[in-house]
Amino acid sequence: MNKIRIGTRGSRLALKQAALVQEALQAADDSLQTEIVILRTKGDIIQDKPLTEIGDKGVFASEFEQALQEGHIDLAVHSAKDLPMTLAGGLTIAAVLPRADVRDVLVVPKQGRMPQEQSDGGTAFRIGSGSRRRQLLAGKLWKNVVCENIRGNVDTRLRKLQEGGYDGIILAKAGLDRLGISGTGSDSSVGGDDASTFFFCPLPPELFLPAACQGIIAVEAANGSEAEEICRRITDAETMLCFQVEREVLRQLSADCSEAAAAWCRQEQDRLILDAMYAGHHVRYTCSVSLQEGRQLAEQAAGELKKKSHICAALDREEKIT
């Protein structure tokens, strides 16, 4: 194969992620030629509506899948958390790069205020986020917060925050790090040109569960293609295992981006640890490190979450009747 055409969105973050895939491919085979092909998706074009109103997670993937099926590109680079639950026919995830930081980050202006753990009875703290997962978790972590929809890439969201549209916004730390915007430590230190403008506060993932596959770059290809075979050389085995387990949680829950769902799988020594959330309920399970046991763990976690949500729904109905 003389050249691999890599499809990507055109934002600064998307181009950075595509460049990381390029670098990994060329490190695996320095004779390989690559070309970046920029595509616009439905999610990029429609910016005046929440994602929940314009479709499922496919709003950032369907154009790439069509281009793969029609042979216009050889690979498509995705933020794995944006992938639809079911891939288009004949396509597969050929590789995932090593996972970056899974945490979410609360970003506030340097001269702004922070949300409160206890209600002070004052003006509500306005957080820019259209994610129902983030909205639910923000309401649990802080008092007197109001989440309002926000769309656009990372730079656009930071500009809207700076212009005073919100008191704070929540972004994925992996994206900030890839753009060189936030600090890399576990505290609230920052680096880069934005250090004098914004205060970055990483949120503990145990309390603020990340979206399934957050921090993972996924590479999609046609099944059985030469590009798929080449991509298999760059995949990170541990990240792929966690990717598959977290995707299985979503599949078992039948959850898409309109649901307040989360899943975070990681390997610690000889164990897999899985935290999962659905409709505000949180469970944690562990098992030995294997894909088969990881999938069983995902099924067990999803079953427990559905059971809890059904019990709570039944209690709510009973309270309304009485």
Side-chain angles (χ1 to χ4, degrees), residues 11-14 16 154-155 174-182 194:
S11 71
R12 192 159 65 100
L13 176 57
K16 176 62 178 178
V154 171
D155 295 318
L176 293 170
D177 289 345
R178 287 170 184 145
L179 291 172
I181 292 176
S182 71
D194 297 274

Side-chain angles (χ1 to χ4, degrees), residues 113 115-116 118-126 139 142-146:
R113 60 191 180 115
Q116 302 298 313
Q118 301 295 327
S119 178
D120 58 6
T123 305
F125 188 92
R126 295 169 303 142
W142 303 298
K143 302 299 180 183
N144 200 21
V145 298
V146 174

